[in-house]
Amino acid sequence: MQLTVYLAGQIHDDWREEVKQIADEKNLPLDFVGPQTNHDRSDNIGEDILGEQPSGFCKDDAASAVNNLRTQVLMQKSDVVIALFGEKYKQWNTAMDASAAVTLGKPLIIVRPEELIHPLKELSNKANITVETVEQALDVLAYIYE
Amino acid sequence: MQLTVYLAGQIHDDWREEVKQIADEKNLPLDFVGPQTNHDRSDNIGEDILGEQPSGFCKDDAASAVNNLRTQVLMQKSDVVIALFGEKYKQWNTAMDASAAVTLGKPLIIVRPEELIHPLKELSNKANITVETVEQALDVLAYIYE
Amino acid sequence: MQLTVYLAGQIHDDWREEVKQIADEKNLPLDFVGPQTNHDRSDNIGEDILGEQPSGFCKDDAASAVNNLRTQVLMQKSDVVIALFGEKYKQWNTAMDASAAVTLGKPLIIVRPEELIHPLKELSNKANITVETVEQALDVLAYIYE
Amino acid sequence: MQLTVYLAGQIHDDWREEVKQIADEKNLPLDFVGPQTNHDRSDNIGEDILGEQPSGFCKDDAASAVNNLRTQVLMQKSDVVIALFGEKYKQWNTAMDASAAVTLGKPLIIVRPEELIHPLKELSNKANITVETVEQALDVLAYIYE
Amino acid sequence: MQLTVYLAGQIHDDWREEVKQIADEKNLPLDFVGPQTNHDRSDNIGEDILGEQPSGFCKDDAASAVNNLRTQVLMQKSDVVIALFGEKYKQWNTAMDASAAVTLGKPLIIVRPEELIHPLKELSNKANITVETVEQALDVLAYIYE
Amino acid sequence: MQLTVYLAGQIHDDWREEVKQIADEKNLPLDFVGPQTNHDRSDNIGEDILGEQPSGFCKDDAASAVNNLRTQVLMQKSDVVIALFGEKYKQWNTAMDASAAVTLGKPLIIVRPEELIHPLKELSNKANITVETVEQALDVLAYIYE
Amino acid sequence: MQLTVYLAGQIHDDWREEVKQIADEKNLPLDFVGPQTNHDRSDNIGEDILGEQPSGFCKDDAASAVNNLRTQVLMQKSDVVIALFGEKYKQWNTAMDASAAVTLGKPLIIVRPEELIHPLKELSNKANITVETVEQALDVLAYIYE
Amino acid sequence: MQLTVYLAGQIHDDWREEVKQIADEKNLPLDFVGPQTNHDRSDNIGEDILGEQPSGFCKDDAASAVNNLRTQVLMQKSDVVIALFGEKYKQWNTAMDASAAVTLGKPLIIVRPEELIHPLKELSNKANITVETVEQALDVLAYIYE
């Protein structure tokens, strides 16, 4: 049974590659989708498509409209969502996607370091399970196939 | 027409009192609900009810379970959600509640300072409207009654 | 049984007053809600709340955000929707509200002049019933109470 | 990931062909569906199937029933909706389909000329994004695959 | 706890009066709603509102549009549906309303004579319970208050 | 685009074969599903599986349970429902399936002879379209592919 | 804000009275509803209404139909569900009601003795929170009003 | 038409193998999914992934989180649910899964021995059908393909 997994979370390192590599090693029949991981492209996509905008606010609004459409299409296609929180940045998109997943009835796995236990406690309580490493998240998915 | 408004967001200042005062001045028929605003009580509510927990993680999990039940009950009773983001703290609960509101089809007003335009851009794009002051949020609600 | 009726449609004449007057004459226990009917206020509400906007597009976007929030709150409170189409203007808001009502499972009555039979045929086919006068729309609502 | 796109909007020019051509050039794995684009066939389909109708109203009602069934089937199969508004005609079907898409949780891209910013502002505010050319709409879809 | 009960079914005798009388005798806090029970009015309501129609089909279609709007409004307000089948007539409206109730998650009580066990078996299997007399249906409702 | 069509309605003649034959002639990519058409098997399936039942009522209840499960599985897989009403029998199953389809948002085509216009008028008004012959129903489906 | 609480669970002791007494002492604005607590009446209600049944299975099926209708009506009216598990009996109704509550999006509090941690672990994980005493459950509800 | 069947219920014997064998013999195009059937693995999966937990309660909570995620993913993919109750154990998971299936609109077949008629009567009444042997459950599924 092929499953599609949405990888929500930070786009500042290559954790998604690690996810895919582990899935490959475990031979899991998973397809991965997620947000644009080129940060500049993600910030500029509104202007890239619509042309120059009159203000920073408008540039951000246009970019977020395109990013949100992408997320909406791909999350609706997904069977499970993994949301990874790192120690830097606001990461409100990650929280937004994780909460949307739960509200839509999509199973949610949160990955976060121990330091974030307290600030993430309510979101973590809503998730199906919270783990500390990407490898553990894949262990959870692998268990579906045992 | 009486409306119920859920006030999501930080619990470190008295912005909810300001909201209620402005609503009173404008004579708006609004009932306000929201999270526990006593920070210590919010953090300890799990142990206050269940007794001492074996670890910090368990204490946080128990507290968040009670906080989430409260939010779920009150948000389901609400007609509109106002989510206020300040400049400090992670505020992932606020993002979680705002995203849940949108996903449930509840109209959402975000209040945030100009500095947060960029990190909040995707959530802001999903909200019905984003304003910068509590007074503006009330102006939006008052408009419903004009 | 008190029912709430959303009055979608043009805001350039006083048809809503006529609706209310007929309901009063028939002693129907109906509450009426609807969009802002002061055209200037409706066009300017974004700037009235948020201050001057950098472009006409931004002014329109801000105004429509507030107008849409109002409609969303009030339509969710409604049991029936009446959508009136006149012979002038684009009236895309009316079509938008009428279609949203049907999709949400809200009963819909369309009022339109005979001249609009052809261009409105698909929307009319989706509505519960289409009539030609406001009085006929009220006859339909009065029938609920017979 | 193959996606299905419903192309709502006017049937008086060949914009849908342009959409398909651009998608081909970009090698996007998209399937396109939409309404009947032969205007006469669309207007006559009720009588073509059911035989002559007793009045113009009945002819229109029969045609719209068949057209609406087609739209309902195809939109339920779609992952994204593009709605194009031109400068002529009432285009209430386009507004109806666009609003139904949003209400059903289908991502919506509106294409409209600058002249229509004001009359389309509320619908535009509900859409995920509004662009001015068919090419820009395809840029948005292409971004999903980056 | 006040409950609203929709009384679907034939309009050719006074069984609804019997229901109300028994509910009064049992002092049950129930509000009853249902279809138009004046058969002629029900058949003519389309023409009564819209004027003479070009054919019998059109007259029937107009009447059914008004009747269906009434049913939709009142069933959405109901907590329970009682559907009574008698031995005469097609009673497809009753089957339609009963099936809609079940599909919407509204509890359904069917009342039917023993002779109809076989032809009603699938609908009966979908209902919460099937009884043979109006008094038994009220016994079921009274049990909610014990 | 392959579509699945549920064929609700009487099982006393071979109209479903006619449907399939026309679809073949028109080369329509349709899969057809429907109820058990062997009448005896349909009536006895409860006892065939569970063994002899203590009463006629119990035999009917057991059979209808299996028939309803089959219908629920297959209708959930369907994109369109065709419901055919003939001139004999109660046909409450057909009305039940047709109403369930509409309530679930499945497009519905009713096929019925002219004699049934009046008793079927409310259900017909809820359907997408009502036609008089199986061939016309297939014309409607063929139109989706034009 | 008045809330309605469904009290699912065993009917062999008077824990519901204890719940009401504590709520009274705390002055909580709660209405409590729940299943029939007279065990004999609950087991016989099918025969009490429909008359003697042909077998034990039929008697049980008739009784459960009436009990399920009662539960469906009252749970749909509830804002929160408390499900209490004791140490005796199968208590599958309690598990059924608790699971239905979670699936419907109703907040769920489980009360169970320490001995049941292991067999209830999956249901407990799905609940909002699990406590060991009725008093703790009321503490959770009281917290909503702080 | 390929269908996916979730096999809820006890994991202490090999009834799922029997199901698959009968399906093979009958050449039914069914895919079977279900919970982890290695009891120790199921109980330890939380610690197997997350490492040692501070208490028995925490171990159970971690294990149930992984088990529930697996069930949620697989049940959402399923077209039918079979829930088997044996004579031993609490089997609250089985009741939980069966109730979730019904609430989600998934057709449900219960398999249980005659001894459990009484304690399972309410859940049985909610299921589509209740049978006594695995073979009978497969007979029900085979009937879909006749």
Side-chain angles (χ1 to χ4, degrees):
Chain A
M1 178 179 282
Q2 196 78 19
L3 295 174
T4 301
V5 184
Y6 188 88
L7 301 175
Q10 63 185 27
I11 61 177
H12 307 84
D13 62 13
D14 61 350
W15 71 275
R16 285 180 184 78
E17 286 318 304
E18 195 190 340
V19 165
K20 287 169 197 168
Q21 191 186 314
I22 299 172
D24 273 356
E25 287 163 17
K26 291 176 185 276
N27 272 321
L28 299 175
L30 300 173
D31 296 316
F32 295 102
V33 293
Q36 172 62 255
T37 55
N38 178 326
H39 200 169
D40 285 347
R41 176 70 166 153
S42 169
D43 276 358
N44 297 325
I45 184 64
E47 288 197 335
D48 287 354
I49 292 178
L50 296 174
E52 199 177 348
Q53 298 296 305
S55 69
F57 171 83
C58 290
K59 177 187 169 180
D60 277 349
D61 188 45
S64 63
V66 185
N67 286 323
N68 282 345
L69 181 139
R70 176 182 168 133
T71 302
Q72 189 176 344
V73 169
L74 296 177
M75 196 183 284
Q76 289 182 353
K77 288 287 190 190
S78 300
D79 301 299
V80 189
V81 173
I82 296 178
L84 181 141
F85 288 85
E87 290 178 58
K88 287 190 289 186
Y89 311 101
K90 296 286 186 186
Q91 305 180 89
W92 285 325
N93 281 9
T94 316
M96 173 181 88
D97 291 347
S99 178
V102 168
T103 311
L104 290 168
K106 306 265 179 194
L108 171 68
I109 302 168
I110 288 178
V111 185
R112 56 106 186 83
E114 208 181 343
E115 290 71 20
L116 294 183
I117 289 179
H118 188 69
L120 263 180
K121 67 181 190 297
E122 270 82 19
L123 193 49
S124 204
N125 178 267
K126 270 195 171 184
N128 286 60
I129 188 164
T130 298
V131 300
E132 292 189 12
T133 69
V134 160
E135 190 142 44
Q136 291 170 327
L138 269 297
D139 286 345
V140 173
L141 294 181
Y143 182 73
I144 299 174
Y145 295 101
E146 285 184 11
Chain B
M1 179 180 282
Q2 197 79 17
L3 296 173
T4 301
V5 183
Y6 188 87
L7 300 175
Q10 64 185 28
I11 60 177
H12 307 82
D13 62 13
D14 60 350
W15 71 275
R16 285 179 185 81
E17 288 317 304
E18 195 189 340
V19 165
K20 287 170 198 170
Q21 193 186 313
I22 298 172
D24 274 355
E25 287 164 18
K26 290 177 185 277
N27 272 322
L28 299 175
L30 300 172
D31 296 315
F32 295 101
V33 292
Q36 172 62 254
T37 53
N38 178 325
H39 200 170
D40 285 348
R41 176 69 168 157
S42 169
D43 275 0
N44 297 325
I45 184 64
E47 291 198 333
D48 286 353
I49 293 179
L50 296 173
E52 201 177 345
Q53 297 296 305
S55 69
F57 170 81
C58 290
K59 177 187 168 179
D60 276 349
D61 188 44
S64 64
V66 186
N67 286 324
N68 281 345
L69 181 138
R70 176 181 167 134
T71 302
Q72 189 176 343
V73 170
L74 295 178
M75 198 184 282
Q76 288 182 353
K77 288 286 190 191
S78 299
D79 302 297
V80 188
V81 173
I82 296 178
L84 180 143
F85 288 85
E87 289 177 59
K88 289 190 288 187
Y89 310 102
K90 296 287 188 187
Q91 307 180 88
W92 285 326
N93 282 8
T94 315
M96 173 182 87
D97 291 346
S99 178
V102 167
T103 312
L104 290 168
K106 306 264 178 194
L108 172 67
I109 302 167
I110 289 179
V111 185
R112 58 105 185 82
E114 208 181 343
E115 290 71 19
L116 296 181
I117 287 179
H118 188 68
L120 264 180
K121 68 183 189 296
E122 271 81 19
L123 193 50
S124 204
N125 178 266
K126 269 194 172 186
N128 286 62
I129 188 165
T130 299
V131 299
E132 293 190 9
T133 69
V134 161
E135 190 142 43
Q136 290 171 327
L138 270 295
D139 285 345
V140 173
L141 294 182
Y143 182 72
I144 299 174
Y145 294 102
E146 285 182 11
Chain C
M1 178 178 281
Q2 196 78 16
L3 295 173
T4 300
V5 184
Y6 189 87
L7 301 174
Q10 65 185 26
I11 60 176
H12 307 84
D13 62 14
D14 61 349
W15 71 275
R16 286 179 185 80
E17 289 315 306
E18 195 190 340
V19 166
K20 287 169 197 169
Q21 191 185 314
I22 298 173
D24 274 355
E25 287 164 16
K26 291 176 184 277
N27 272 322
L28 298 175
L30 300 173
D31 296 315
F32 296 101
V33 292
Q36 172 62 255
T37 53
N38 178 326
H39 200 169
D40 284 348
R41 176 70 167 155
S42 168
D43 275 359
N44 296 325
I45 183 63
E47 290 198 332
D48 287 353
I49 293 179
L50 295 174
E52 201 176 344
Q53 297 296 305
S55 69
F57 171 82
C58 290
K59 176 187 168 178
D60 276 349
D61 188 44
S64 64
V66 186
N67 285 323
N68 281 345
L69 181 140
R70 175 182 168 134
T71 302
Q72 190 175 343
V73 170
L74 295 178
M75 197 184 281
Q76 289 182 353
K77 288 286 190 191
S78 299
D79 302 298
V80 189
V81 172
I82 296 177
L84 181 143
F85 287 85
E87 289 177 58
K88 289 191 288 188
Y89 310 103
K90 295 287 188 187
Q91 307 181 88
W92 285 325
N93 282 9
T94 315
M96 172 181 88
D97 291 346
S99 178
V102 167
T103 312
L104 290 167
K106 306 265 179 194
L108 171 68
I109 302 167
I110 288 179
V111 186
R112 57 105 186 82
E114 208 180 344
E115 290 72 18
L116 296 182
I117 288 179
H118 187 69
L120 263 181
K121 68 183 189 299
E122 270 83 19
L123 193 50
S124 202
N125 178 267
K126 271 195 170 184
N128 286 62
I129 188 165
T130 299
V131 299
E132 293 190 10
T133 69
V134 161
E135 189 142 44
Q136 290 170 326
L138 269 295
D139 286 345
V140 173
L141 294 182
Y143 182 72
I144 299 174
Y145 295 102
E146 285 182 10
Chain D
M1 178 178 281
Q2 197 78 17
L3 295 174
T4 301
V5 184
Y6 188 88
L7 300 175
Q10 64 185 26
I11 60 177
H12 307 84
D13 62 13
D14 62 350
W15 71 275
R16 285 179 185 78
E17 287 318 305
E18 195 189 341
V19 165
K20 287 169 196 168
Q21 191 186 314
I22 298 171
D24 273 355
E25 287 164 16
K26 291 176 184 278
N27 271 323
L28 299 175
L30 299 172
D31 296 315
F32 295 101
V33 293
Q36 173 61 256
T37 54
N38 178 326
H39 200 168
D40 284 348
R41 178 68 167 155
S42 169
D43 276 359
N44 296 326
I45 184 63
E47 289 198 333
D48 287 354
I49 293 178
L50 295 174
E52 199 176 348
Q53 297 296 305
S55 69
F57 171 82
C58 290
K59 177 187 168 180
D60 276 349
D61 188 44
S64 63
V66 185
N67 286 323
N68 281 346
L69 181 139
R70 175 181 167 135
T71 302
Q72 190 176 344
V73 169
L74 296 178
M75 197 184 282
Q76 288 182 354
K77 288 286 190 190
S78 299
D79 301 299
V80 189
V81 173
I82 295 178
L84 180 143
F85 288 85
E87 290 177 59
K88 288 190 290 187
Y89 310 104
K90 295 288 187 185
Q91 306 181 89
W92 285 326
N93 281 9
T94 316
M96 173 181 87
D97 291 347
S99 178
V102 168
T103 312
L104 290 167
K106 307 264 179 195
L108 171 68
I109 301 168
I110 288 179
V111 185
R112 56 108 186 82
E114 207 181 344
E115 290 72 18
L116 295 182
I117 288 180
H118 188 69
L120 263 181
K121 66 182 190 297
E122 270 82 20
L123 194 49
S124 203
N125 177 268
K126 271 195 170 184
N128 286 61
I129 188 164
T130 299
V131 299
E132 292 189 11
T133 69
V134 160
E135 191 142 44
Q136 291 170 325
L138 268 297
D139 285 345
V140 173
L141 294 181
Y143 182 72
I144 299 175
Y145 295 101
E146 285 184 10
Chain E
M1 179 179 281
Q2 196 78 17
L3 295 173
T4 300
V5 184
Y6 188 88
L7 301 175
Q10 64 184 26
I11 60 177
H12 307 84
D13 62 12
D14 61 350
W15 71 275
R16 285 178 185 81
E17 288 316 306
E18 196 189 339
V19 165
K20 287 169 197 170
Q21 191 185 314
I22 298 172
D24 274 355
E25 287 164 18
K26 290 176 186 277
N27 272 321
L28 299 174
L30 300 172
D31 296 316
F32 296 102
V33 293
Q36 172 61 255
T37 54
N38 178 326
H39 199 168
D40 285 348
R41 177 69 167 155
S42 169
D43 275 0
N44 297 325
I45 183 63
E47 290 199 334
D48 286 354
I49 293 178
L50 295 174
E52 201 176 347
Q53 297 296 305
S55 70
F57 171 81
C58 290
K59 176 186 169 180
D60 276 350
D61 188 43
S64 64
V66 185
N67 286 324
N68 281 345
L69 181 140
R70 174 181 168 133
T71 301
Q72 189 175 344
V73 170
L74 295 178
M75 198 184 280
Q76 289 182 353
K77 288 287 191 190
S78 299
D79 302 297
V80 189
V81 173
I82 295 177
L84 181 143
F85 288 85
E87 290 177 58
K88 289 190 288 187
Y89 311 102
K90 296 287 188 186
Q91 305 181 90
W92 284 325
N93 282 8
T94 315
M96 173 182 86
D97 291 347
S99 178
V102 167
T103 312
L104 290 167
K106 306 265 179 194
L108 171 68
I109 302 168
I110 288 180
V111 185
R112 58 105 186 82
E114 207 180 343
E115 290 71 19
L116 296 182
I117 288 179
H118 187 69
L120 263 180
K121 68 182 189 298
E122 270 82 20
L123 193 50
S124 203
N125 178 268
K126 271 196 171 183
N128 286 61
I129 188 165
T130 298
V131 299
E132 294 190 10
T133 68
V134 161
E135 189 142 44
Q136 290 171 326
L138 269 296
D139 286 345
V140 173
L141 294 182
Y143 182 72
I144 299 173
Y145 295 101
E146 286 184 9
Chain F
M1 179 178 283
Q2 196 78 18
L3 296 173
T4 301
V5 184
Y6 188 88
L7 300 175
Q10 64 184 27
I11 60 176
H12 307 84
D13 62 13
D14 61 350
W15 71 275
R16 285 180 185 77
E17 287 317 304
E18 196 190 340
V19 165
K20 287 169 198 170
Q21 193 186 313
I22 298 172
D24 274 355
E25 288 165 15
K26 291 177 185 277
N27 273 323
L28 298 175
L30 299 173
D31 296 315
F32 296 102
V33 293
Q36 172 62 256
T37 54
N38 178 326
H39 199 170
D40 284 348
R41 177 68 166 155
S42 170
D43 275 359
N44 297 325
I45 184 63
E47 290 198 332
D48 287 353
I49 293 178
L50 295 173
E52 199 177 345
Q53 297 296 304
S55 69
F57 170 83
C58 290
K59 176 187 168 180
D60 276 349
D61 188 45
S64 63
V66 185
N67 286 323
N68 281 345
L69 181 139
R70 175 181 169 135
T71 302
Q72 190 176 344
V73 169
L74 296 177
M75 197 184 282
Q76 289 181 353
K77 288 286 191 192
S78 300
D79 301 299
V80 189
V81 173
I82 295 178
L84 180 143
F85 287 85
E87 290 177 61
K88 287 191 290 186
Y89 310 102
K90 295 286 187 187
Q91 305 181 90
W92 285 324
N93 282 9
T94 316
M96 173 180 86
D97 291 347
S99 178
V102 168
T103 312
L104 290 168
K106 306 265 180 193
L108 171 68
I109 302 168
I110 288 179
V111 185
R112 56 106 186 83
E114 207 180 343
E115 290 71 19
L116 294 183
I117 288 179
H118 188 68
L120 263 180
K121 68 182 188 300
E122 269 82 19
L123 193 50
S124 203
N125 178 267
K126 271 195 169 185
N128 286 60
I129 189 165
T130 298
V131 300
E132 292 190 10
T133 69
V134 160
E135 190 142 44
Q136 290 171 326
L138 269 296
D139 286 344
V140 173
L141 295 182
Y143 181 72
I144 298 174
Y145 295 101
E146 283 183 12
Chain G
M1 179 179 282
Q2 196 78 17
L3 295 173
T4 300
V5 184
Y6 189 88
L7 300 174
Q10 65 185 26
I11 60 176
H12 306 84
D13 62 13
D14 61 349
W15 71 275
R16 284 180 185 79
E17 288 316 305
E18 196 190 340
V19 165
K20 287 170 197 169
Q21 192 186 314
I22 298 172
D24 274 355
E25 288 164 17
K26 290 176 185 276
N27 273 323
L28 298 175
L30 300 173
D31 296 315
F32 296 101
V33 292
Q36 172 61 254
T37 55
N38 178 327
H39 200 168
D40 285 348
R41 176 69 168 156
S42 169
D43 275 0
N44 297 324
I45 183 64
E47 290 198 333
D48 287 354
I49 293 178
L50 295 174
E52 202 177 345
Q53 297 296 303
S55 69
F57 171 82
C58 290
K59 176 187 168 178
D60 276 349
D61 188 45
S64 63
V66 186
N67 285 324
N68 281 345
L69 181 139
R70 175 182 167 133
T71 302
Q72 189 175 343
V73 170
L74 295 178
M75 198 184 282
Q76 288 181 353
K77 289 286 191 190
S78 299
D79 302 297
V80 188
V81 173
I82 295 178
L84 181 143
F85 287 85
E87 290 178 58
K88 290 191 287 187
Y89 310 102
K90 295 288 189 186
Q91 306 182 86
W92 284 325
N93 282 7
T94 315
M96 173 181 87
D97 291 346
S99 178
V102 168
T103 312
L104 291 168
K106 306 263 179 195
L108 171 68
I109 301 167
I110 289 180
V111 185
R112 57 104 185 82
E114 207 180 343
E115 291 71 17
L116 296 182
I117 288 179
H118 187 68
L120 263 181
K121 67 181 189 297
E122 271 82 18
L123 193 50
S124 202
N125 179 268
K126 271 195 171 183
N128 287 62
I129 188 164
T130 298
V131 299
E132 293 191 9
T133 69
V134 160
E135 189 142 44
Q136 290 170 327
L138 269 296
D139 286 345
V140 173
L141 295 182
Y143 182 71
I144 299 174
Y145 295 102
E146 285 183 9
Chain H
M1 179 178 284
Q2 197 78 16
L3 295 173
T4 301
V5 184
Y6 188 88
L7 300 175
Q10 63 185 26
I11 61 178
H12 307 83
D13 62 12
D14 61 349
W15 71 274
R16 285 181 185 77
E17 287 317 305
E18 195 189 342
V19 165
K20 286 169 199 170
Q21 191 186 314
I22 298 172
D24 274 354
E25 288 165 16
K26 291 177 185 278
N27 273 322
L28 299 175
L30 300 172
D31 295 316
F32 295 101
V33 293
Q36 172 62 255
T37 55
N38 179 328
H39 199 169
D40 284 348
R41 176 70 167 154
S42 169
D43 276 358
N44 297 325
I45 183 63
E47 290 198 334
D48 287 354
I49 293 178
L50 295 175
E52 200 178 345
Q53 297 295 305
S55 69
F57 171 82
C58 290
K59 176 187 169 179
D60 276 348
D61 188 44
S64 63
V66 186
N67 286 323
N68 281 345
L69 182 139
R70 175 181 168 134
T71 302
Q72 189 176 343
V73 170
L74 295 177
M75 197 183 281
Q76 289 181 354
K77 288 286 191 191
S78 300
D79 301 299
V80 189
V81 173
I82 296 178
L84 181 142
F85 287 86
E87 290 178 58
K88 288 190 291 186
Y89 310 101
K90 295 288 187 186
Q91 305 179 91
W92 285 325
N93 282 8
T94 316
M96 173 181 88
D97 291 346
S99 178
V102 168
T103 312
L104 290 168
K106 306 266 179 193
L108 171 68
I109 302 168
I110 288 179
V111 185
R112 56 106 185 83
E114 207 181 343
E115 291 71 19
L116 294 182
I117 288 179
H118 188 68
L120 262 180
K121 66 183 190 295
E122 271 81 19
L123 193 49
S124 203
N125 177 267
K126 269 195 171 183
N128 286 61
I129 188 166
T130 299
V131 300
E132 293 190 10
T133 68
V134 160
E135 189 141 44
Q136 290 170 327
L138 268 297
D139 286 345
V140 173
L141 294 182
Y143 182 72
I144 299 174
Y145 295 101
E146 285 183 10

